[in-house]
Amino acid sequence: MFYLLLEMKILEENAGALTNFEVLDFLRAKGASKDPSRVLAKVAMSEYKVYDYLVKTPAGSQTRESVKEYFTVIKQHDLSEAEIIEDCEERFPDEEVTEIVEKVGNTLPAPPDKATPEEITKGDEETETQKHDEISYDQTEDGEQMDTS
Amino acid sequence: MFYLSKIEHKFALPPHLLARPIREAIQSELERLFLDKVIQKLGLCISVYDITSIEGGSIFPGAGAPTYQVVFNLIMFRPFPGEIISAKVMSLDADGVRLSLGFFEDIYIPTHHMPYPSYYISKNNTRKWTWEYGEETDEFNIEISNEVIRFQVLSVSYPTIPVEQAKESKPFAPMVVNGSLYHEGLGPVSWWQ
């Protein structure tokens, strides 16, 4: 006979966004790695599946420095976190778009397996995602919000 | 894709863990309770990020385990509508494509969100979705392979647990992500290189 003293309360649904890189960094700090000594680490099987997924994304080759650098460089374009740039042509002049693309290519290391910078498709709706680059540093101004317009 | 959620949970710590240092024991029990489980509206729990506070430890009459009230942060997987995510094809059928991230496999792209015009072909032993772009008829395919597919999240739903299920129906998925491959840039990465 068990007394089910179970109560769960959600205090904060959203206590902050994490970039893919931050999650990967967290798992690495826990002991996740690519080599076969997996059984010894305190990382659960399900956590390893997330690690395996993230390591193959561009976050896999990012470093703390490159992400910080990218953030300072991209700040001047006034984008919110995780923003997908729709209607690119209307919102930014052409040169600025190429500038943004270049900055992404220059500051962030290429994703593993690829030597080319993140792909951009041309057309009326250019969707360059910053999803890999959501940063939630507390030092930044005025609560940037998720903008999914 | 990932968010932190702050949770407060009151639970009994199983006695077999009491030999360990308290933090470790609580971390272990929280992981057992939450890892790889879906919490409605919050998403899929990936990891216990940290423990903010531990209170309690009193044993209730008749019980053998101390009860603790713990405040902690969980890393949740919770894609937002509009987000673009890379995934792999898990299965295909006439209703659409099912994608997987490895740690999460309930991503569905329904037929009306496939690139237009697309057709489902099931011949001999191969099954694929083909996109007819311009004159090409066999160049743009979606098949089960190791290729990376980019899709856009349309919505995330948390269906309620069914009381009864027919025997052959799909196992119940507590969290379902609906996606689209409709826009430019979406679909297999090789289409856009």
Side-chain angles (χ1 to χ4, degrees), chain A residues 14 16-19 79-84 130-131 133-136 142-149, chain B residues 1-3 78-81 83:
Chain A
N14 182 355
L18 292 176
T19 62
L79 293 167
S80 66
E81 300 179 9
E83 183 162 345
I84 297 173
Q130 295 210 354
K131 59 152 174 128
D133 316 305
E134 298 149 51
I135 310 245
S136 52
D142 309 319
E144 292 180 308
Q145 296 168 351
M146 290 295 147
D147 186 89
T148 59
S149 53
Chain B
M1 255 207 278
F2 299 105
Y3 294 88
R78 184 168 77 236
F80 56 86
E83 185 173 4

Side-chain angles (χ1 to χ4, degrees), chain A residues 15 18 20 30 32 40 45 53 71 75-76 84 95-96 119 124 126 134 138 140 143 146:
Chain A
L18 292 176
N20 285 10
K30 251 187 131 177
L40 304 168
M45 271 303 303
Y53 171 79
F71 188 66
K75 227 154 90 146
Q76 43 181 280
I84 297 173
E95 312 81 48
E96 204 176 339
E119 287 141 36
D124 294 338
E126 192 165 307
E134 298 149 51
D138 294 320
T140 64
M146 290 295 147

Side-chain angles (χ1 to χ4, degrees), chain B residues 91-98 109-112 114 118-122 127-129:
Chain B
S91 67
L92 331 136
D93 60 24
D95 293 325
V97 182
R98 181 175 177 182
I109 318 282
T111 343
H112 51 279
M114 297 293 290
S118 292
Y119 304 98
Y120 175 64
I121 299 172
S122 174
R127 293 208 263 178
K128 61 183 180 184
W129 272 88

Side-chain angles (χ1 to χ4, degrees), chain A residues 42, chain B residues 17 20-29 51:
Chain A
K42 291 190 225 162
Chain B
L17 292 176
R20 294 209 229 158
I22 187 71
R23 246 175 201 258
E24 238 184 74
I26 293 207
Q27 168 112 2
S28 178
E29 183 63 6
I51 299 177

Side-chain angles (χ1 to χ4, degrees), chain A residues 53 57 131-132, chain B residues 84-88 100-101 148-151:
Chain A
Y53 171 79
T57 63
K131 59 152 174 128
H132 294 306
Chain B
I84 298 187
I85 302 180
S86 304
K88 296 206 174 135
S100 156
L101 297 176
V148 172
I149 312 271
R150 275 206 274 254
F151 74 96

Side-chain angles (χ1 to χ4, degrees), chain A residues 5-9 11-13 15-16 18 20 26 30 44 47 49 53 84 119 121-122 129 131 148, chain B residues 2-6 8-10 31 34-35 42 46-49 80 82 84 86 101 150 184-185:
Chain A
L5 292 166
L6 288 183
E7 261 166 49
M8 188 187 86
K9 221 186 329 182
L11 297 179
E12 268 178 71
E13 225 179 85
L18 292 176
N20 285 10
F26 171 79
K30 251 187 131 177
E47 286 172 311
K49 288 196 184 151
Y53 171 79
I84 297 173
E119 287 141 36
T121 61
K122 307 268 184 250
T129 65
K131 59 152 174 128
T148 59
Chain B
F2 299 105
Y3 294 88
L4 280 180
S5 287
K6 203 183 205 119
E8 178 182 328
H9 188 52
K10 189 196 233 176
E31 286 183 347
F34 290 101
L35 238 56
L42 294 186
I46 300 290
S47 240
V48 175
Y49 186 68
F80 56 86
I84 298 187
S86 304
L101 297 176
R150 275 206 274 254
E184 283 196 59

